[in-house]
Amino acid sequence: DGGITQSPKYLFRKEGQNVTLSCEQNLNHDAMYWYRQDPGQGLRLIYYSQIVNDFQKGDIAEGYSVSREKKESFPLTVTSAQKNPTAFYLCASSIDRGTNYGYTFGSGTRLTVV
Amino acid sequence: GDSVTQMEGPVTLSEEAFLTINCTYTATGYPSLFWYVQYPGEGLQLLLKATKADDKGSNKGFEATYRKETTSFHLEKGSVQVSDSAVYFCALSAPPGGSGGSNYKLTFGKGTLLTVNP
């Protein structure tokens, strides 16, 4: 079955470390997205990509980086510059060819700073 | 720009009660409207959608009607169950340019936490 796989499900980061969250989709979707979700809050867009080798900053890109070398993959790196990285991170994808199509989401990665 | 406003929670109901979660939107052009559900510790799942005015989306006993005249897409269920406890997100997808961007990005509301007690 097609879908989006995020790994790992839980991730622990020490102060000053960079960590990379994986997101892979086999839906042949053009666009991919990264969101951050904090307790009791909505979704905040970090980065998105509409096509391979291109990506755009979202609303809270500072302290994060991404790459889109393959259509199927959109990894997110949380750098040491991100001062408060503890959150739930969600990856999503979409066909991006019309308003009728929503997003398909992964099951998320919970990142905790220790 | 485009925006979605949904009722603030949390909403607490007893099993078999009637549920309404209000959602209103602002958008240029003709957006599609969605409701997503997020169960604890999981990602979001598409619950239902409507792509044009007066369409009714439905799934698992939930319904929402696209009302262009009131710019609303309220979520309803006649009899909730404990298993419906989750966070519900209203969202819209507008044509490029209408949202200030160049692709069909979704704009989400802030989410409404629903707790159903036995």
Side-chain angles (χ1 to χ4, degrees):
Chain A
D1 287 340
I4 296 184
T5 301
Q6 289 188 242
S7 62
K9 191 171 178 65
Y10 299 96
L11 186 58
F12 298 89
R13 191 193 95 166
K14 293 182 179 179
E15 296 279 354
Q17 265 186 343
N18 292 355
V19 291
T20 298
L21 283 59
S22 171
C23 178
E24 303 276 337
Q25 54 99 358
N26 60 2
L27 299 165
N28 199 32
H29 282 176
D30 303 305
M32 298 186 75
Y33 309 83
W34 274 106
Y35 286 89
R36 170 178 172 144
Q37 187 177 28
D38 294 284
Q41 299 193 27
L43 304 173
R44 291 188 288 171
L45 182 64
I46 304 172
Y47 269 99
Y48 68 98
S49 168
Q50 295 171 254
I51 195 170
V52 173
N53 293 323
D54 187 49
F55 47 83
Q56 310 294 328
K57 291 183 179 180
D59 301 317
I60 56 163
E62 185 174 351
Y64 300 96
S65 66
V66 293
S67 63
R68 187 87 184 275
E69 297 177 0
K70 298 186 300 182
K71 187 176 185 178
E72 303 80 19
S73 179
F74 191 41
L76 173 74
T77 297
V78 184
T79 74
S80 57
Q82 171 50 240
K83 297 306 178 189
N84 185 22
T86 295
F88 190 51
Y89 291 86
L90 288 164
C91 181
S93 70
S94 71
I95 293 177
D96 193 33
R97 289 182 207 150
T99 61
N100 293 357
Y101 306 97
Y103 291 177
T104 300
F105 281 85
S107 56
T109 293
R110 186 166 300 282
L111 174 63
T112 304
V113 174
V114 296
Chain B
D2 300 333
S3 66
V4 174
T5 303
Q6 59 182 106
M7 65 186 287
E8 293 188 16
V11 174
T12 302
L13 297 173
S14 297
E15 206 164 24
E16 299 184 2
F18 184 85
L19 168 71
T20 299
I21 300 178
N22 289 339
C23 172
T24 58
Y25 68 90
T26 302
T28 54
Y30 299 95
S32 292
L33 302 172
F34 305 83
W35 276 102
Y36 282 83
V37 58
Q38 184 181 33
Y39 299 102
E42 298 183 12
L44 277 68
Q45 302 173 24
L46 178 64
L47 181 60
L48 54 83
K49 69 177 183 181
T51 58
K52 60 182 187 297
D54 299 325
D55 268 2
K56 177 185 283 188
S58 61
N59 186 25
K60 299 180 181 180
F62 291 90
E63 294 183 339
T65 301
Y66 189 152
R67 300 287 188 199
K68 194 171 188 300
E69 64 277 11
T70 55
T71 62
S72 65
F73 193 54
H74 305 321
L75 182 68
E76 296 181 336
K77 187 175 185 183
S79 176
V80 293
Q81 306 301 313
V82 172
S83 57
D84 294 326
S85 298
V87 180
Y88 292 82
F89 291 90
C90 185
L92 71 82
S93 175
S99 63
S102 59
N103 76 328
Y104 295 92
K105 288 204 306 285
L106 284 185
T107 299
F108 289 91
K110 293 188 176 181
T112 302
L113 173 63
L114 170 66
T115 301
V116 180
N117 294 318

